[in-house]
Amino acid sequence: MTVLHGIDARSGERLDDPVPASSGEQVREACAAAEDAAAALARLPAAARARLLEQVAEALDEAGPGLVALADTETALGSGPLTAELTRATNQLRLLATEVQREDFAAPRWEEGAFARMLSPVGPVAVYAASNFPFALSVAGSDTAAALAAGCPVVVKAHPGHPLTSRRTGEVAGAALRDAGAPDGTFAVLHGMEAGTALIRDPRIRAAAFTGSRAGGRALFDAAAARPDPIPFYGELGSVNPVFVTEAAVRARGEELVQGYLTSLTRYHGQLCTNPGVLLLPSGHGLTEPLRKAVGGAEPAPMLNARILENYRAGLERLSRSAAGLAAVPDGPHLFTTTAAEFRARPELAEECFGPAGLVVEYASRDEALELARDLPGSLTATLHAEEGDPEDETFARELLPVLTRRAGRVVWNGWPTGVAVNRTMHHGGPWPATTGAQFTSIGTESVRRFQVPVVYQGVPERLLPGPLRR
């Protein structure tokens, strides 16, 4: 039997508590159980569905100290950040519990001529957990919460970077769902690469969500499309999150910008999907030495796992072949620099290097900055630091912001992209390669829409309609 071992992220030592990889038969059983549960789960009244989410949140809060300690061992992210992340995950569950009870949750509509329309659960959903958020984007994270809120059973493929945390989180969430009266088969957790491949191909799975690398996500995306019955695949795959800075902003608060950039670049050890990988500064900005000193003086920290560290080193090697080095901490923060012309001539510079690596790109004019913006790959975020009230900056902003809205799903003004709010307005998505569907979000209340499909009832007696359509 193939087993997965948790690894102590600080020492690199194997943890003596193996997690068996799921067999093909276990994948089929989980998917069959999810299909059996789908109709009953979809019929649950809004209050009952909300209670499922609330019960999971309460159970995770109660198990919090043990879960955080386990996750810290496997990820080295630190108990403080992990505690905050777990709180984000439980707050997200509670927010969606409130959302499902809104009168407009299923978007009911009526038309003369006996037409009624609503959004219905799509059916069993496969969730592929992320490595960098063992709580917020993992077993009981945003994708799972959104699918359950929609009324869909969930089969999670756990990330191999934190198998022990995933197993324990699954035990806590599964028990909470059973105690709250969820139908059998509502939730399951699988382990292992082969299980993940089998899961996306199982005919009972009706949609899938993924957060991870471009290579892994693309392979699953292609598999979802190649099925005899293709299904939606909502993948978050990679993002460079450009940050534009104007001359006026540099003059007004250059030191503040350097410190803000360093904090954003190194948050969560640089292992965030919203990490500001490209910093665009005007020529002659004068921040080279402050940036070199700040980044070069940062403390190294363990990466999530050996594979991510290996990929980070490969990314640094790629950057070093095409850009000049400014600062380097061994296996820690790195900063490179290049010109706008070189950046546009070398497409490899616009590829994500997952980790605390930043690239400074110097632009010579406003027109060149705009051209750069048009050429940037799709990202989750794009940021502009400018001086409000400055006529030139406001003119530049009016030209740049419309371009950025076509290159990113979230545009930030005088802030930093790391740190994602969980609310009714958040859009965590963007054009390829940031995601496979820029019109959808994986965080916030609108994330539920990925797992709902419109159904129109024509001439059906009202007494036979689903609850949301009965007036």
Side-chain angles (χ1 to χ4, degrees):
M1 176 187 293
T2 303
V3 297
L4 290 82
H5 288 274
I7 303 294
D8 188 311
R10 293 179 176 85
S11 69
E13 295 179 358
R14 177 183 289 184
L15 300 173
D16 189 21
D17 188 6
V19 177
S22 302
S23 66
E25 181 60 29
Q26 287 173 315
V27 175
R28 290 188 290 273
E29 289 175 355
C31 293
E35 183 177 49
D36 290 343
L41 186 61
R43 287 195 301 268
L44 282 183
R49 199 182 300 173
R51 183 57 190 156
L52 298 182
L53 298 164
E54 291 166 349
Q55 191 93 344
V56 173
E58 291 168 11
L60 291 173
D61 281 342
E62 185 175 344
L67 288 171
V68 166
L70 195 53
D72 185 39
T73 299
E74 290 189 297
T75 67
L77 288 172
S79 60
L82 286 167
T83 298
E85 184 194 328
L86 182 59
T87 299
R88 168 182 153 181
T90 56
N91 285 346
Q92 186 166 249
L93 286 158
R94 292 187 173 97
L95 175 65
L96 292 181
T98 300
E99 185 72 10
V100 301
Q101 297 179 85
R102 291 173 57 95
E103 289 186 5
D104 62 348
F105 175 73
R109 298 180 189 173
W110 300 266
E111 281 287 342
E112 292 183 10
F115 291 95
R117 181 185 190 274
M118 66 174 285
L119 299 177
S120 297
V122 69
V125 170
V127 169
Y128 290 81
S131 64
N132 56 336
F133 280 94
F135 299 126
L137 297 178
S138 194
V139 170
S142 58
D143 291 332
T144 296
L148 291 173
C152 300
V154 179
V155 182
V156 179
K157 190 277 182 183
H159 196 278
H162 37 76
L164 301 179
T165 305
S166 298
R167 181 177 65 185
R168 180 61 187 141
T169 304
E171 291 169 350
V172 171
L177 288 166
R178 287 191 297 272
D179 291 346
D184 291 343
T186 294
F187 176 78
V189 180
L190 304 173
H191 296 267
M193 183 176 294
E194 292 182 4
T197 301
L199 180 60
I200 198 68
R201 293 172 176 159
D202 192 284
R204 288 155 292 208
I205 294 298
R206 306 313 308 159
F210 169 91
T211 300
S213 70
R214 188 189 301 192
R218 184 58 194 253
L220 290 169
F221 181 49
D222 290 346
R227 288 169 40 136
D229 56 338
I231 59 171
F233 180 84
Y234 303 107
E236 182 188 307
L237 311 180
S239 182
V240 297
N241 307 300
V243 177
F244 287 81
V245 183
T246 67
E247 288 187 40
V250 171
R251 288 194 303 268
R253 46 194 166 91
E255 184 176 339
E256 176 188 331
L257 288 168
V258 169
Q259 291 306 311
Y261 179 69
L262 175 67
T263 299
S264 189
L265 183 72
T266 58
R267 187 174 181 184
Y268 253 51
H269 308 171
Q271 299 162 118
L272 292 174
C273 48
T274 53
N275 212 43
V278 177
L279 178 64
L280 299 111
L281 294 172
S283 300
H285 52 79
L287 297 181
T288 298
E289 284 308 312
L291 283 167
R292 188 199 309 273
K293 183 178 180 181
V295 175
E299 293 293 326
M303 301 293 275
L304 286 160
N305 54 58
R307 183 176 180 180
I308 287 179
L309 176 58
E310 180 182 349
N311 289 339
Y312 180 56
R313 288 171 174 169
L316 294 176
E317 175 62 26
R318 169 175 51 80
L319 286 170
S320 70
R321 291 194 298 266
S322 302
L326 275 184
V329 176
D331 290 339
H334 279 62
L335 192 63
F336 300 86
T337 186
T338 191
T339 64
E342 282 295 303
F343 183 80
R344 297 181 69 191
R346 297 176 179 271
E348 66 272 16
L349 289 174
E351 296 177 17
E352 180 189 41
C353 178
F354 188 72
L359 174 65
V360 174
V361 179
E362 295 188 359
Y363 63 88
S365 66
R366 190 168 77 192
D367 288 342
E368 189 169 51
L370 289 168
E371 287 302 312
L372 278 170
R374 295 186 184 101
D375 288 348
L376 285 167
S379 284
L380 295 169
T381 74
T383 299
L384 173 59
H385 280 275
E387 290 305 290
E388 194 167 350
D390 183 291
E392 291 189 5
D393 273 19
E394 296 214 350
T395 297
F396 180 50
R398 289 190 184 95
E399 296 173 323
L400 180 63
L401 291 177
V403 177
L404 296 184
T405 61
R406 295 193 294 273
R407 308 310 306 145
R410 176 163 58 102
V411 177
V412 182
W413 171 270
N414 284 347
W416 298 100
T418 44
V420 178
V422 181
N423 55 37
R424 299 197 83 241
T425 63
M426 177 51 58
H427 182 77
H428 190 66
W432 177 271
T435 73
T436 57
Q439 67 271 45
F440 296 102
T441 179
S442 61
I443 296 175
T445 56
E446 289 299 304
S447 63
V448 179
R449 302 305 180 206
R450 297 172 295 168
F451 310 122
Q452 294 176 305
V453 292
V455 176
V456 172
Y457 297 85
Q458 181 176 347
V460 177
E462 184 170 334
R463 64 184 178 278
L464 300 180
L465 292 173
L469 289 176
R470 295 177 197 162
R471 292 184 290 184

